[in-house]
Structures are given as structure tokens and as C-alpha cells.
Amino acid sequence: MWGQAGNALLTLGFASALLACIAYFFSTQAKDNTSEISWFKLAQNAFRVHVTTVFGVAGVLLYLLVNHRFEYYYVFWHSNKEMPVKYILSCLWEGQEGSFLLWTFWHAVLGLLLMRRKDVWAAPVMAVLGSVQVFLLSM
């Protein structure tokens, strides 16, 4: 069940990051103010969904690590029952997949901070950040 939930969250996160990237791009290319605002709002909502899924994936993986669910490959290879809890937290980013998750997590946090800005560069920067998120989630 947890593996399926994680896969569903990753799929939804990829789709929402792709939608956010495309919508931010179209908001930079819009000719009139109305279409720019509608694309920008769609992009912000899609990015919020993406951030929620990234936090959810990190939470699921942390749950699996803390509860020693060794039936999952990542947990089996990167943790054991003798580890103190502080090292189990570091198992979250210890493997290659976890490193990509860590990068995705911090880019999502950065994106949340950038979404608060309402200047001219917000949409182009978020379009690039969204494309980076799509690239990271494709791995």
C-alpha cells in the first residue's frame, strides 16, 4: 500500500510540475493581462499541488524508514534496525533516489518562497524552476 501511495504521489507530482512549468511559460508569453493572470494562477495552483506531493513522498519514505519496512528496496539497502533515529533521518537522502528527493524537496521550498514575489521575474524564474522539478522527478 505505501509503495503504491508513493508511486501515485510521484506521478501526480510529475504531472503537476509539468503543468506548472508549461503554465508559467505561457504566462510569460501572454499578450494581454487577463490571459497572463489566468495562466499565472493555474501555474501557482499546479505548483502548490506539486509541493504537496513532494512533501507527501518525503513523508511516506520517512515513515517507511522509521518503521523499518524492509520489504521496500530503498529501506532494505539504506537502513537497519541498529541505527539510531538521527541516522535514520539521514537515510532519507543517503541513496541516489533519496538525493534526488532531497533536491526536489529543497527546490519545492525555494519555489514556495519565490511564489510570494509578485514582480516581473516571478513567472520566468518559476518556469525554469518547474522545468528543473520535472527533470528531477523524471529520474
Side-chain angles (χ1 to χ4, degrees):
M1 178 183 107
W2 290 104
Q4 292 172 344
N7 284 335
L9 286 171
L10 283 174
T11 304
L12 180 60
F14 179 81
S16 60
L18 185 62
L19 177 62
C21 177
I22 291 169
Y24 276 123
F25 175 76
F26 282 133
S27 74
T28 63
Q29 304 298 314
K31 303 288 186 218
D32 59 347
N33 196 25
T34 306
S35 63
E36 177 185 353
I37 290 172
S38 63
W39 279 113
F40 192 76
K41 285 183 179 181
L42 174 65
Q44 283 190 321
N45 289 334
F47 197 82
R48 285 185 185 106
V49 169
H50 167 69
V51 169
T52 304
T53 61
V54 168
F55 289 173
V57 167
V60 166
L61 184 56
L62 188 60
Y63 171 82
L64 294 174
L65 286 166
V66 168
N67 290 307
H68 306 292
R69 301 293 300 264
F70 295 120
E71 64 264 24
Y72 296 100
Y73 174 83
Y74 190 86
V75 178
F76 179 77
W77 283 104
H78 300 289
S79 71
N80 62 47
K81 287 188 175 186
E82 296 174 4
M83 276 186 182
V85 175
K86 63 183 177 181
Y87 295 126
I88 288 181
L89 177 63
S90 68
C91 287
L92 194 61
W93 60 83
E94 193 262 328
Q96 181 180 13
E97 301 90 348
S99 296
F100 286 133
L101 179 61
L102 183 69
W103 276 96
T104 305
F105 177 84
W106 286 117
H107 275 105
V109 170
L110 178 64
L112 285 177
L113 295 174
L114 290 173
M115 281 176 50
R116 303 180 119 218
R117 297 191 57 129
K118 301 291 184 204
D119 58 1
V120 175
W121 293 101
V125 170
M126 287 299 293
V128 171
L129 189 92
S131 65
V132 170
Q133 292 291 79
V134 169
F135 176 73
L136 286 171
L137 284 174
S138 70
M139 305 238 190

